[in-house]
Amino acid sequence: MAALVRISSLCHRGISPVLFRSSTLIRPVATQKHERDCPYSISARIHATPSYHAGSGSKAAAMHWTGERILSIALLGLAPVAYFFPGPVVDYSLAAALTLHGHWGFGQVVTDYVHGDSRIKMANAGLFILSTVTFAGLCYFNYHDVGICKAVALLWSK
Amino acid sequence: MALLIRTVARQGMCSSRSQFGVFYRHAAPMGTTAKEEMNKFWAKNTQLNRPLSPHVSIYKWSVPMAMSISHRGTGVALSSGISLFAVAALVLPGSYPYYLDLIHSLSYGPHFLAFSKFALAFPVVYHTFNGIRHLIWDVGRGFKIPEVYRSGYTVLALTLFTSIGLAAM
């Protein structure tokens, strides 16, 4: 369970508040010496996930993480299959797996570097459009042109 | 100290004051979430136009650090390349073999071709091998610092030789 401890002292001696981006880190705050120096009240605001969240929280984030890893492993397995058994099934599987892997990867980049509610929304919307167009383009290529496996083979043949 | 905090946290933050023990005489649970706190921090500091302290620009680079951002960089580059390819497939009139022949007529000879293959293969291979390294971390193994460096150098060596091998094909 995540707990963020902020010790703010009335005597203004700085134990700097330790705020991190990751709420799962618990940094020990050096209170012992501090308490000895400052015997009158030290108020500690304990920041904790409210009890109604404890245990029954949404598993969406964890499942997304697992989904990302499963997809990565699937994509890894797809590579030798594409080499030994090229064809439309692998072509469309590659199109789907590559697009989704890239979409989720970009999603992590957005999460890390884009801040502010409206900016995050816009970035994710733009990403969604990009991924949709990418998948559409790859499917079009698979259907109307030589297909992904053949394309790589042709590229490497010269 | 950290153990104490962690133990208290794990037992759940009940309203009973007795759980907080000696160090938290005046403890009271906060009403905001971590996300709200972070947003408040950023809103306040950007509104005050405070500059950001140098961080990435002054920290000493390490091999794991460089490999990590390279993993992200190659991922972004590869994904962008695929998207570009997909858009081109939708927009350009000709077929793939046509454009491939066009590119080949522009190339500067066999060495340039081999180098291009190497340049194309390198990010794919690096991202793949480092991706496997990530998956190994995801099952919880290989976190000790010597192991991190060892696996890192292994990925780099494998990437180099595999890329050369692929470029030679």
Side-chain angles (χ1 to χ4, degrees):
Chain A
M1 201 172 100
L4 199 68
V5 179
R6 265 165 57 179
I7 311 277
S8 56
S9 146
L10 284 182
C11 48
H12 294 291
R13 282 239 230 120
I15 303 284
S16 51
V18 273
L19 262 164
F20 342 88
R21 310 224 67 121
S22 159
S23 54
T24 56
L25 269 175
I26 302 173
R27 189 87 57 92
V29 182
T31 53
Q32 284 170 318
K33 182 181 188 302
H34 194 63
E35 267 200 325
R36 254 182 278 124
D37 294 343
C38 230
Y40 49 93
S41 35
I42 299 172
S43 77
R45 295 203 299 274
I46 303 228
H47 181 121
T49 318
S51 53
Y52 53 85
H53 278 169
S56 66
S58 162
K59 283 221 166 78
M63 288 177 68
H64 179 85
W65 187 92
T66 308
E68 285 179 331
R69 315 300 129 157
I70 293 178
L71 180 65
S72 301
I73 294 171
L75 195 53
L76 223 53
L78 217 50
V81 174
Y83 182 78
F84 290 110
F85 306 104
V89 172
V90 179
D91 279 341
Y92 285 99
S93 308
L94 266 176
L98 280 171
T99 313
L100 191 55
H101 184 73
H103 179 75
W104 280 347
F106 258 121
Q108 297 292 350
V109 175
V110 167
T111 306
D112 281 350
Y113 302 137
V114 178
H115 307 294
D117 290 326
S118 63
R119 285 214 197 131
I120 291 174
K121 243 189 205 169
M122 285 198 297
N124 281 323
L127 174 60
F128 194 84
I129 294 173
L130 179 69
S131 298
T132 310
V133 170
T134 302
F135 185 60
L138 287 177
C139 288
Y140 179 90
F141 185 80
N142 281 336
Y143 190 83
H144 291 285
D145 214 316
V146 294
I148 297 178
C149 296
K150 190 76 180 138
V152 176
L154 282 174
L155 184 66
W156 234 253
S157 63
K158 300 284 169 67
Chain B
M1 182 59 204
L3 200 59
L4 175 70
I5 298 176
R6 248 175 262 148
T7 320
V8 174
R10 224 172 270 137
Q11 281 165 7
M13 289 299 173
C14 309
S15 50
S16 146
R17 293 285 168 92
S18 60
Q19 278 217 3
F20 292 119
V22 178
F23 296 115
Y24 307 102
R25 265 191 207 94
H26 305 279
M30 293 176 78
T32 49
T33 64
K35 195 171 187 181
E36 289 167 2
E37 294 276 321
M38 291 192 278
N39 286 339
K40 270 167 58 187
F41 172 85
W42 283 109
K44 171 176 160 198
N45 284 284
T46 47
Q47 192 259 325
L48 288 168
N49 265 325
R50 284 183 177 161
L52 217 50
S53 303
H55 45 298
V56 215
S57 46
I58 54 168
Y59 199 87
K60 181 172 181 185
W61 280 94
S62 62
V63 171
M65 194 171 155
M67 287 188 71
S68 178
I69 192 61
S70 300
H71 188 78
R72 178 160 274 187
T74 50
V76 168
L78 290 168
S79 203
S80 306
I82 290 176
S83 293
L84 222 69
F85 178 81
V87 169
L90 287 169
V91 162
L92 294 177
S95 74
Y96 178 79
Y98 168 76
Y99 289 112
L100 200 59
D101 290 332
L102 201 65
I103 294 170
H104 277 132
S105 66
L106 296 167
S107 73
Y108 301 111
H111 295 299
F112 180 77
L113 246 69
F115 178 75
S116 314
K117 286 183 187 174
F118 178 82
L120 220 60
F122 192 84
V124 180
V125 176
Y126 174 82
H127 192 84
T128 304
F129 282 131
N130 202 221
I132 296 173
R133 184 165 166 243
H134 264 284
L135 288 170
I136 295 174
W137 287 331
D138 288 336
V139 296
R141 310 192 45 170
F143 279 107
K144 295 207 186 79
I145 293 300
E147 291 172 333
V148 170
Y149 275 85
R150 212 179 305 140
S151 62
Y153 289 133
T154 307
V155 164
L156 288 172
L158 278 171
T159 301
L160 191 64
F161 292 126
T162 309
S163 301
I164 292 175
L166 283 175
M169 280 171 67

